[in-house]
Amino acid sequence: MEVSRNFHMNSKNSVTGFQMSRTELTGYVVISFLVVLWCHYKWTRRRFENLAAKMTGPPAYPIIGSGLEFVGTPQQVIERIIELFEIYGTEPFRVWLGTSLGVTISKPEDVQIILNSSKALAKDSFYKFFKNTVGEGLFSAPVHKWRRHRRLITPVFNANLLDQFFPVFNEKNQILTRNFKKELGKTEPFDLSDYIANATLDIICQTAMGYNLDTQSNSESEFADALTKASELDAMRIYKPWLYPDIIFSLYTRITGKHKVYKALHKLPNQVIKEMKIKYAQKKLENKCSNIDVTDSEKKRLKVFLDTLLDLNDAGANFTNDEIRDEVVTMMIGGSETSGITVCFCLLMLAIHQDIQDKVYDEIYHVLGDTDQLITIEDTTKLVYLEQCIRETLRLYPIGPLLLRQLQDDVKIFSGNHLLPKGTTCIISPICTHHISELYPDPWKFNPDNFDPQNVEKRHKYSFIAFSGGPRGCIGSKYAMLSMKVMISTFLRNYSIHTDVKLSDIKLKLDLLMRSANGYPATIRTRDRRPTYKRN
């Protein structure tokens, strides 16, 4: 009995020992698996980490990378971006974007390499934040879609189309001029954007869709309200990393009811596109049945951007309804806020620098005289100094202070002779490049002579990248420049602008775009239509 009992106890101990060994074995397997995963992770990232080790940059932490550097208000974020470039200079430096490696590119020679490389055409995943608003238009489209759309759409932006837009430019600016009369005689400053934002939106809606939104006369516009809220919603997402996953953001917008903002934004374009497609098909059928040419009235009708997309479709482009809408909305958003903010900044600069304002007005007077004749596309080519002022405004305050490109293959840059590995995010910063003192002496000063032809000739072509550059550069840069020239010249023909703000008072903030944190306060007076300077 004793032997039996001892045998039974020994058997239990051996079983228990076997069970513990199995537990230990499981632990060893799990640990080994994690070690292998870690080694594989480090091995696949070795090129990024080797490159990062050769560069300076802000501190980074697991998972969040250098994210703590950019915690704060929209004003604090842009201040920190500028501060980082002041600390680390124009040489490339690393910024860990979570677990992804970002490398800043500032020098024009390096900027040219990246923006012109076929290996750097892809936008960073950051641009997915805009997809609920602009879909996959030229701004945010993946490379394969962008190539096709860009090839088809680029010829659309020719001189003939831009010339047709001039009646709209003039009509909307005449309304803007009348609206500004409300501010005459007032000593308290008003915010320029309260008027200019509506005007630029009306212009782009008319030229993109042929739709008269008329927000200048009727501030209650569902589309205008949705556009503002959609921009705010996208900007809010940027500063809340927990909303980065699409599924989380989708749940958030549905729970809060904010998904209706995007529906409201797309409602008008969808409706207009549907109506235009029906009219387009009817006209095509009528012309085919009657076998006659287009009437004179049709020839005189304003041909808008949407018309050209439908023409492309008729020629075999096969755009879907969503693709047409995405391109129209992209143009509308890109052509309203960007132009509006730049015009506000430019007028504020002219209010601060009265001598430069006088010089601009003198040029306008020389070109257009003291009559009320409408400006033409030929007149705009003569407003050379005004264009210098607009470009200097864009240099000083680029609307998009950061451009992010993800490399699809290795790319070598001049600075440091660095080879940037595939998967690197290149952070191109117009606000840094535009403020390199070797390129622009006293870079935070407003000096339109920076864009005197002789000075431009001395600088590298990519010293000015307000409209980006290379194959994915802004397709609407000529449209934007013409639109802004017409708006500013029309304003200055009628009013002089004044402000108590100093250049040092201007604070910036960054949401989707960079803008003045404190608005654009100014007062206006009726213009005395006489030249200020005697021309040679």
mmCIF file of all heavy atoms in Angstrom, residues 133-149:
data_model
loop_
_atom_site.group_PDB
_atom_site.id
_atom_site.type_symbol
_atom_site.label_atom_id
_atom_site.label_comp_id
_atom_site.label_asym_id
_atom_site.label_seq_id
_atom_site.Cartn_x
_atom_site.Cartn_y
_atom_site.Cartn_z
ATOM 1 N N THR A 133 -14.066 65.598 -48.648
ATOM 2 C CA THR A 133 -14.445 66.887 -49.224
ATOM 3 C C THR A 133 -14.238 66.900 -50.740
ATOM 4 O O THR A 133 -15.163 67.197 -51.492
ATOM 5 C CB THR A 133 -13.624 68.023 -48.577
ATOM 6 O OG1 THR A 133 -13.886 68.033 -47.180
ATOM 7 C CG2 THR A 133 -14.007 69.375 -49.162
ATOM 8 N N VAL A 134 -13.025 66.602 -51.183
ATOM 9 C CA VAL A 134 -12.700 66.731 -52.611
ATOM 10 C C VAL A 134 -12.646 65.391 -53.333
ATOM 11 O O VAL A 134 -12.376 65.351 -54.537
ATOM 12 C CB VAL A 134 -11.363 67.469 -52.821
ATOM 13 C CG1 VAL A 134 -11.435 68.865 -52.248
ATOM 14 C CG2 VAL A 134 -10.196 66.697 -52.189
ATOM 15 N N GLY A 135 -12.900 64.279 -52.620
ATOM 16 C CA GLY A 135 -12.853 62.987 -53.271
ATOM 17 C C GLY A 135 -11.461 62.691 -53.806
ATOM 18 O O GLY A 135 -10.468 62.890 -53.122
ATOM 19 N N GLU A 136 -11.404 62.246 -55.055
ATOM 20 C CA GLU A 136 -10.121 61.944 -55.688
ATOM 21 C C GLU A 136 -9.947 62.788 -56.943
ATOM 22 O O GLU A 136 -9.727 62.293 -58.044
ATOM 23 C CB GLU A 136 -10.005 60.460 -56.010
ATOM 24 C CG GLU A 136 -9.888 59.586 -54.769
ATOM 25 C CD GLU A 136 -9.563 58.129 -55.080
ATOM 26 O OE1 GLU A 136 -9.738 57.723 -56.251
ATOM 27 O OE2 GLU A 136 -9.140 57.409 -54.166
ATOM 28 N N GLY A 137 -10.054 64.123 -56.744
ATOM 29 C CA GLY A 137 -9.731 65.048 -57.828
ATOM 30 C C GLY A 137 -8.226 65.154 -57.975
ATOM 31 O O GLY A 137 -7.465 64.458 -57.303
ATOM 32 N N LEU A 138 -7.775 66.045 -58.859
ATOM 33 C CA LEU A 138 -6.345 66.160 -59.142
ATOM 34 C C LEU A 138 -5.518 66.414 -57.888
ATOM 35 O O LEU A 138 -4.362 65.980 -57.798
ATOM 36 C CB LEU A 138 -6.100 67.302 -60.145
ATOM 37 C CG LEU A 138 -6.527 67.047 -61.585
ATOM 38 C CD1 LEU A 138 -6.316 68.292 -62.426
ATOM 39 C CD2 LEU A 138 -5.778 65.872 -62.186
ATOM 40 N N PHE A 139 -6.084 67.096 -56.898
ATOM 41 C CA PHE A 139 -5.343 67.450 -55.695
ATOM 42 C C PHE A 139 -4.932 66.226 -54.886
ATOM 43 O O PHE A 139 -3.811 66.140 -54.388
ATOM 44 C CB PHE A 139 -6.180 68.395 -54.833
ATOM 45 C CG PHE A 139 -5.595 68.704 -53.486
ATOM 46 C CD1 PHE A 139 -4.477 69.502 -53.381
ATOM 47 C CD2 PHE A 139 -6.162 68.184 -52.332
ATOM 48 C CE1 PHE A 139 -3.919 69.794 -52.133
ATOM 49 C CE2 PHE A 139 -5.618 68.465 -51.081
ATOM 50 C CZ PHE A 139 -4.498 69.270 -50.989
ATOM 51 N N SER A 140 -5.842 65.263 -54.755
ATOM 52 C CA SER A 140 -5.605 64.146 -53.843
ATOM 53 C C SER A 140 -5.599 62.781 -54.515
ATOM 54 O O SER A 140 -5.431 61.762 -53.839
ATOM 55 C CB SER A 140 -6.674 64.152 -52.742
ATOM 56 O OG SER A 140 -7.970 64.062 -53.326
ATOM 57 N N ALA A 141 -5.755 62.723 -55.825
ATOM 58 C CA ALA A 141 -5.895 61.441 -56.522
ATOM 59 C C ALA A 141 -4.630 60.593 -56.431
ATOM 60 O O ALA A 141 -3.517 61.122 -56.431
ATOM 61 C CB ALA A 141 -6.242 61.686 -57.996
ATOM 62 N N PRO A 142 -4.789 59.262 -56.358
ATOM 63 C CA PRO A 142 -3.618 58.390 -56.463
ATOM 64 C C PRO A 142 -2.973 58.563 -57.837
ATOM 65 O O PRO A 142 -3.620 59.031 -58.784
ATOM 66 C CB PRO A 142 -4.202 56.988 -56.269
ATOM 67 C CG PRO A 142 -5.663 57.121 -56.560
ATOM 68 C CD PRO A 142 -6.041 58.516 -56.191
ATOM 69 N N VAL A 143 -1.722 58.164 -57.946
ATOM 70 C CA VAL A 143 -0.931 58.488 -59.137
ATOM 71 C C VAL A 143 -1.582 57.996 -60.424
ATOM 72 O O VAL A 143 -1.637 58.727 -61.420
ATOM 73 C CB VAL A 143 0.498 57.915 -59.011
ATOM 74 C CG1 VAL A 143 1.280 58.150 -60.294
ATOM 75 C CG2 VAL A 143 1.220 58.553 -57.839
ATOM 76 N N HIS A 144 -2.091 56.759 -60.445
ATOM 77 C CA HIS A 144 -2.634 56.204 -61.685
ATOM 78 C C HIS A 144 -3.829 57.020 -62.179
ATOM 79 O O HIS A 144 -3.963 57.274 -63.385
ATOM 80 C CB HIS A 144 -3.024 54.741 -61.505
ATOM 81 C CG HIS A 144 -4.212 54.528 -60.607
ATOM 82 N ND1 HIS A 144 -4.119 54.524 -59.231
ATOM 83 C CD2 HIS A 144 -5.533 54.312 -60.904
ATOM 84 C CE1 HIS A 144 -5.325 54.316 -58.707
ATOM 85 N NE2 HIS A 144 -6.201 54.196 -59.686
ATOM 86 N N LYS A 145 -4.687 57.461 -61.249
ATOM 87 C CA LYS A 145 -5.845 58.277 -61.646
ATOM 88 C C LYS A 145 -5.401 59.690 -62.003
ATOM 89 O O LYS A 145 -5.893 60.294 -62.951
ATOM 90 C CB LYS A 145 -6.881 58.316 -60.516
ATOM 91 C CG LYS A 145 -8.104 59.163 -60.853
ATOM 92 C CD LYS A 145 -9.136 59.152 -59.731
ATOM 93 C CE LYS A 145 -9.926 57.878 -59.737
ATOM 94 N NZ LYS A 145 -11.099 57.966 -58.816
ATOM 95 N N TRP A 146 -4.459 60.236 -61.222
ATOM 96 C CA TRP A 146 -3.972 61.580 -61.494
ATOM 97 C C TRP A 146 -3.375 61.680 -62.894
ATOM 98 O O TRP A 146 -3.628 62.652 -63.617
ATOM 99 C CB TRP A 146 -2.919 61.977 -60.450
ATOM 100 C CG TRP A 146 -2.172 63.209 -60.848
ATOM 101 C CD1 TRP A 146 -2.571 64.499 -60.694
ATOM 102 C CD2 TRP A 146 -0.918 63.252 -61.529
ATOM 103 N NE1 TRP A 146 -1.632 65.353 -61.234
ATOM 104 C CE2 TRP A 146 -0.606 64.613 -61.749
ATOM 105 C CE3 TRP A 146 -0.020 62.271 -61.972
ATOM 106 C CZ2 TRP A 146 0.551 65.011 -62.401
ATOM 107 C CZ3 TRP A 146 1.140 62.666 -62.616
ATOM 108 C CH2 TRP A 146 1.415 64.025 -62.818
ATOM 109 N N ARG A 147 -2.571 60.690 -63.297
ATOM 110 C CA ARG A 147 -1.937 60.722 -64.624
ATOM 111 C C ARG A 147 -2.993 60.855 -65.728
ATOM 112 O O ARG A 147 -2.868 61.675 -66.629
ATOM 113 C CB ARG A 147 -1.133 59.438 -64.864
ATOM 114 C CG ARG A 147 0.174 59.345 -64.116
ATOM 115 C CD ARG A 147 0.914 58.095 -64.562
ATOM 116 N NE ARG A 147 2.035 57.773 -63.721
ATOM 117 C CZ ARG A 147 3.232 58.330 -63.813
ATOM 118 N NH1 ARG A 147 3.448 59.257 -64.734
ATOM 119 N NH2 ARG A 147 4.212 57.959 -63.007
ATOM 120 N N ARG A 148 -4.011 60.053 -65.641
ATOM 121 C CA ARG A 148 -5.054 60.045 -66.677
ATOM 122 C C ARG A 148 -5.824 61.362 -66.685
ATOM 123 O O ARG A 148 -6.010 61.985 -67.735
ATOM 124 C CB ARG A 148 -5.994 58.875 -66.428
ATOM 125 C CG ARG A 148 -7.207 58.839 -67.355
ATOM 126 C CD ARG A 148 -8.001 57.563 -67.157
ATOM 127 N NE ARG A 148 -9.295 57.660 -67.805
ATOM 128 C CZ ARG A 148 -10.402 58.040 -67.194
ATOM 129 N NH1 ARG A 148 -10.368 58.367 -65.904
ATOM 130 N NH2 ARG A 148 -11.549 58.110 -67.841
ATOM 131 N N HIS A 149 -6.254 61.824 -65.514
ATOM 132 C CA HIS A 149 -7.061 63.047 -65.437
ATOM 133 C C HIS A 149 -6.236 64.274 -65.826
ATOM 134 O O HIS A 149 -6.734 65.163 -66.516
ATOM 135 C CB HIS A 149 -7.635 63.211 -64.031
ATOM 136 C CG HIS A 149 -8.750 62.255 -63.737
ATOM 137 N ND1 HIS A 149 -9.710 62.489 -62.775
ATOM 138 C CD2 HIS A 149 -9.066 61.054 -64.279
ATOM 139 C CE1 HIS A 149 -10.565 61.485 -62.737
ATOM 140 N NE2 HIS A 149 -10.181 60.595 -63.630
#
